[in-house]
Amino acid sequence: MTTTGAIAEAGARGAPSGPWWWARRRSMALDVALALVSVLECVLEGVQFADEHGLPGGLGAMVGVPVGASLLLRRRWPVAVVLVSIAITPAEMGFLLSIVGLYTLAASEVPRRITAVLAGASLAGTLIVTFVRFQQDMAQDGYQPGFWVVVAFTVAMALGLTAPPVLLGLYVGARRRLVDSLRERADGLERELSLLADRAEERAVWARNEERTRIAREMHDVVAHRVSLMVVHAAALQAVALKDPEKASKNAGLVGDMGRQALTELREMLGVLRTSSDGMVAEKPAAAQTQRLAAVAAVASARVSAGAAGGHDDDGGPVGDGPCLDGLADLVGQSRAAGMAVELSVEGEERAYGRRVERTAYRVVQEALTNVHKHAPGAKAQVRLAHREGEVALQVENGPSDGGADAGLPSGGNGLVGMRERVSALGGVFVSGPTEAGGFRVSAVIPDRVRAA
């Protein structure tokens, strides 16, 4: 029995009202009907054989009942049924048993060499019995046909009783195995497709989480730095508002510039998010499995097409202008305008890096300066940038706070974590910690894998 047949039979046992249960019932009814007909045939032929040889008719009937009833075992033991039919061939009984037995044997999973041997034995037995019986009948009628006529007649009879059931059984068995193989293959493909759909859903969830984390880092960098500078300028404005109106006016202008820059960067970021969201069509979960798989395939195809169309930068994120290393001078100037004593030094020949590399380097410097504003007001800071072959190195170091007024900026503790995540995502090295002089140092080396490739 094949795997599919075993599964179907087990399902039939567990669900008596299912289609497999009814199919099994029909098969049992067919076997019982064939067995009854075979028993009736064998009994009649057994009685006739006993009368011809001077034996009691009851003995022939007693032999015919178990012989004909053996057809009930054709599905479980087809070899035994064929052996019984071969054994009773000399008695000229069990023609239905022989035909159905050979058909079942050829259609079963019995090895083909056994089927060929048993079919050949049945053919030989039928040929011999037919040859002898035909000569006896012709002799009784006083007719003496030629030898080749007898041979042709017996061969035709033997082949007519043996070949059709064997050939039909081989065809039905091959077709049944083909159907089982196709069904198993379809089940396997369905399971594989379901597994691929589940994996696609997991990857989609992972991608959404990664995108959410990336957006959170961008929002943190933009808002934290700009608002920190605004708070610092506002504190300075409050301190000098009455003493130095000209300086207060300058600080107020700087606060307005910081606010406008923050709004501009937020507007650009939200525009990118809104554009990406318009390309994604939210679909309700479907009840049918095929609709769910089709939805997953459509989303996957859309993402692949979007990536191939150039809608992402070198790291897979949405394309946007974003900050770059050219803006470090302005970034340092903004902190210097806020009252921080900060210097910028650049080493090496200036070169262009990948978009994400430059954006990450800019954000690291930006967050480091923001931390200086938050945690070390009045401290001196040094920003170092080194252009190297295949990588960019940067360092932001500040001294201890000089006791200046604390602007009261809140800290969520995500700055260093975000910087480390950004640098590590590009395969770089990030180190941060206090210095012996009582300050703090942030260092990062970011490889430019896009340019190196």
Side-chain angles (χ1 to χ4, degrees), residues 27 36 44 78 98 110 112 145 214 240 285 370 380 426 430-432:
S27 299
L36 291 176
L44 295 177
S98 176
V110 176
R112 289 291 167 259
R214 191 189 69 83
V240 302
T370 301
K380 296 182 180 180
L426 296 179
F430 178 83
V431 179
S432 63

Side-chain angles (χ1 to χ4, degrees), residues 12 188 213 222 228 237 262 292 309 325 340 348 424 444 448:
T213 302
V222 171
S228 297
L237 174 62
R292 184 175 73 89
L325 293 178
M340 179 188 297
S424 300
D448 189 13

Side-chain angles (χ1 to χ4, degrees), residues 115 143 163 197 202 216 226-227 311 320 334 347 405 417 419 425:
T115 302
Y143 176 68
E202 293 177 359
R226 299 298 182 189
V227 174
Q334 293 171 4
E347 301 176 3
V417 175
M419 286 189 283

Side-chain angles (χ1 to χ4, degrees), residues 29-120:
L30 177 61
D31 291 346
V32 171
L34 290 175
L36 291 176
V37 175
S38 179
V39 167
L40 180 60
E41 177 200 355
C42 290
V43 168
L44 295 177
E45 292 172 345
V47 172
Q48 182 181 0
F49 180 80
D51 292 340
E52 291 178 356
H53 293 80
L55 299 175
L59 179 61
M62 291 177 60
V63 174
V65 171
V67 169
S70 65
L71 199 58
L72 287 171
L73 308 176
R74 69 184 184 95
R75 297 182 188 273
R76 186 177 295 272
W77 295 305
V79 175
V81 174
V82 175
L83 288 175
V84 170
S85 68
I86 295 174
I88 64 171
T89 300
E92 299 182 43
M93 57 187 298
F95 290 103
L96 179 63
L97 177 67
S98 176
I99 293 174
V100 176
L102 288 174
Y103 164 79
T104 306
L105 177 67
S108 66
E109 299 297 331
V110 176
R112 289 291 167 259
R113 61 179 181 276
I114 298 179
T115 302
V117 170
L118 293 179

